[in-house]
Each structure stands twice: as structure tokens, then as C-alpha cells.
Amino acid sequence: MIVWIAFIAFVLIFLALDLGVFHKDEHVIKSKEAGIWTAIFVTVAFAFSGIIYWVFDAGIVANPTGLTPNDAVLKYITGYLIELSLSVDNVFVIAVIFSSFKIPPLYQHRVLFWGILGAIVFRALMIFFGVALITKFEWIIYVFGVFLLYTAFNMLKGDDDDFDPKDSFVFKQIKKIYPVTTTMHGHDFFVKRMGLNAATPLFVALIVIELTDILFALDSIPAILAITADPFIVFTSNILAILGLRSMYFLISRMLEKFKYINYSLVVILAFVGLKMLFSNYIHLPEWVSLTVISVSLVAGILASVLIKDKA
């Protein structure tokens, strides 16, 4: 448990420094700053593979699936890339939510900070129950596999292109349960209006982001469980990918139009891991194959987005 406690403490300390020191004074996050932070998060995530090797080599973390240190590192990197790639789709939805609720760029970092803090808790719970289910009921892996294929199919059809948070069930229920004001009040989530407490658009956006992250976790958790059922690898790769989501949002949200083919990369990745789950008892692919498929899919989507021009 010492390794788990140390990792969680590291995450909490970094989050405290993030809001209390690095972003104590609210400001609009520019592309250069977002790029620097994205590079830092990705570097830390890849450097953490050294920690993975060490804890598995030294045997100071539980190893229920009997991984060698090298296999553990490969599975960690593959899982991290899956989570990072699926986070790209999350960025698109966050951009729509901020636009719909007219959240000024000045306060977007604050909303994302609290959103990611909540996401860490939800992901931890989902990972715990997901690993427990696969360990106790082997057949659940087929359910996850079918679900991922279904998600990939829906993503290919593009059914969510017209998503409007203000028309969502969640937003309508919030308005019924708690008064909502349509005007901003600085960085406050709540404000007193006519003697009553009311939620500002910042709080509504936060709740919608939290709930949409739960929906994204329904895709991403089964996806990484197709790579490994080791709880430490699943948890660390997932959380480190989430921590980098804020800076990645500010880096690529301004370039969303340029990444118009990245969704096809996500379709390929989800379909691949879904099939991998369905045939896990019959076909055992080397870990480098999964890593290659995911990396090539991402690079192909980015290159296609940059090189293929729309016809006038």
C-alpha cells in the first residue's frame, strides 16, 4: 500500500501546487503556456515508466497478473497512450460545453481543475470495480469488448456531432433541483440572488463536465482493461493521462478544426481493443503489437488532418 499512498500523495500535492501556486492568479492560458505544461505532463508520464519497472522488479507492489518488469512497462505505456488518445475526444466535448455556457477563457482553468479532481475519484472507483469484475467474472471481458465495438460504431456514425449541453437531461434536472442564474459572477460557483443561493454557469458547466467524464470513462476503463487487469498500472496510466487533460485542452481546443480526422483514429483504437477483448482467450498478441496499432492510428489521424485539405 505504500506505493499506492505515495502515488496518490504525489497527485494531490501536484494539484495543490497547480491551483495554489502555478495558477494562483487567474489568467487566460495561452497556447505557449499550454504547450509547455503538456510537454511536462507527457514527460512525467513517460518517466514514470521507470518507476513502474522499479516497483515490479523489486516486488514492492502487488503483481496479481504475474507481469515481468519489461511487460509491466509496455502495458503501462500502451495504457497511457490509449487514455491520452481517448482524452482527445473529451477535449471536443469540453469545448462545446464551455461554448454553450459562455464560460470566459479566464475561468476555464478553474472549472477544469475541479472537474479533473472529481474525475480522479470517479475513475478510481470505476477502475476498482472494473478490475474486480474481470477478476471474479471472466465472461465480463466479452461484455466490455462488445461495448467498445458499439462505441466505435457510434463514433464512426457521428451521432454526437449535434450535442448541446443546454438541451441535455442533466442540465434540465439541475434547473429543477437548484436555482440557476444565467449571468457570470467572477469565478464563483454559487451566488446569492434575491436572498436565495443560485448556481452560476461555472457550476453547471462543472457538473456537466463531471458527468460527461463518467460517460467517457465507460469507454476508457474497458479499453485499458483490454491491455491489462493489473490495478496499479490501470490506475496510474489513467490518472496521469487525466492530469494532462487540462493543458492538452488549452493547447488543442484552438485547433479543433485541424484535427477533423482524429475521430477515425479513435474508432480504430476502440475497435482494436474491443476485438482484442473478444478474442483474448484465443489470440494472444505481443504487447508491442498493441502499442504499434495505437501509435500508428494516432499518427495517421494527425497527419491526415494536417495534410488532407477540404475541397472548396
Side-chain angles (χ1 to χ4, degrees), residues 1-291:
M1 289 300 294
I2 294 174
V3 178
W4 284 84
I5 292 168
F7 178 76
I8 293 169
F10 163 76
V11 171
L12 293 177
I13 289 169
F14 188 86
L15 286 171
L17 288 172
D18 184 16
L19 193 64
V21 178
F22 300 126
H23 297 95
K24 185 178 180 180
D25 298 320
E26 288 171 337
H27 61 281
V28 176
I29 309 295
K30 302 291 185 182
S31 295
K32 182 180 178 181
E33 181 184 354
I36 292 171
W37 278 107
T38 300
I40 290 172
F41 278 115
V42 171
T43 302
V44 168
F46 276 102
F48 193 78
S49 60
I51 303 293
I52 293 289
Y53 184 93
W54 171 60
V55 297
F56 276 86
D57 186 50
I60 57 177
V61 70
N63 188 2
T65 55
L67 296 173
T68 65
N70 287 328
D71 283 342
V73 168
L74 274 175
K75 287 181 181 294
Y76 164 77
I77 293 174
T78 305
Y80 174 73
L81 286 177
I82 284 179
E83 296 304 317
L84 200 64
S85 59
L86 293 176
S87 293
V88 173
D89 207 38
N90 210 342
V91 167
F92 285 74
V93 175
I94 291 171
V96 172
I97 292 170
F98 280 155
S99 173
S100 179
F101 293 110
K102 297 180 173 60
I103 307 299
L106 183 63
Y107 304 124
Q108 289 178 2
H109 180 275
R110 179 179 175 83
V111 175
L112 285 177
F113 173 86
W114 292 107
I116 282 169
L117 194 62
I120 288 173
V121 176
F122 289 130
R123 296 283 179 115
L125 291 171
M126 294 182 77
I127 288 167
F128 173 79
F129 288 112
V131 171
L133 281 172
I134 282 186
T135 305
K136 193 168 180 63
F137 306 106
E138 223 175 281
W139 53 266
I140 205 75
I141 199 167
Y142 299 114
V143 177
F144 285 164
V146 171
F147 177 75
L148 289 177
L149 288 175
Y150 175 74
T151 304
F153 177 69
N154 279 340
M155 193 177 286
L156 186 63
K157 288 197 304 178
D159 287 345
D160 297 329
D161 288 347
D162 298 324
F163 169 69
D164 185 352
K166 287 186 176 178
D167 292 333
S168 67
F169 173 80
V170 174
F171 178 66
K172 291 174 182 176
Q173 295 310 305
I174 292 172
K175 288 183 72 175
K176 288 180 182 178
I177 298 169
Y178 203 86
V180 175
T181 177
T182 56
T183 55
M184 297 289 300
H185 291 267
H187 64 209
D188 294 332
F189 288 117
F190 297 95
V191 67
K192 276 213 165 188
R193 188 185 65 174
M194 297 172 63
L196 294 173
N197 286 325
T200 67
L202 279 186
F203 180 75
V204 179
L206 172 63
I207 295 299
V208 175
I209 286 174
E210 291 282 16
L211 293 173
T212 52
D213 182 77
I214 293 175
L215 296 178
F216 277 106
L218 292 175
D219 301 337
S220 66
I221 301 303
I224 194 171
L225 289 174
I227 304 301
T228 179
D230 184 276
F232 187 69
I233 292 176
V234 173
F235 183 71
T236 53
S237 59
N238 209 286
I239 299 307
L240 287 172
I242 290 175
L243 285 177
L245 179 60
R246 286 163 305 158
S247 52
M248 192 167 71
Y249 167 78
F250 291 109
L251 179 65
I252 70 174
S253 61
R254 300 176 181 93
M255 304 183 293
L256 289 179
E257 318 79 42
K258 295 182 181 178
F259 290 93
K260 54 186 178 296
Y261 292 110
I262 200 72
N263 264 13
Y264 294 105
S265 297
L266 304 183
V267 169
V268 171
I269 291 169
L270 286 175
F272 171 75
V273 294
L275 290 171
K276 191 170 186 279
M277 276 187 152
L278 290 177
F279 294 100
S280 59
N281 288 329
Y282 310 100
I283 301 173
H284 300 281
L285 296 174
E287 214 50 58
W288 64 265
V289 174
S290 300
L291 190 55

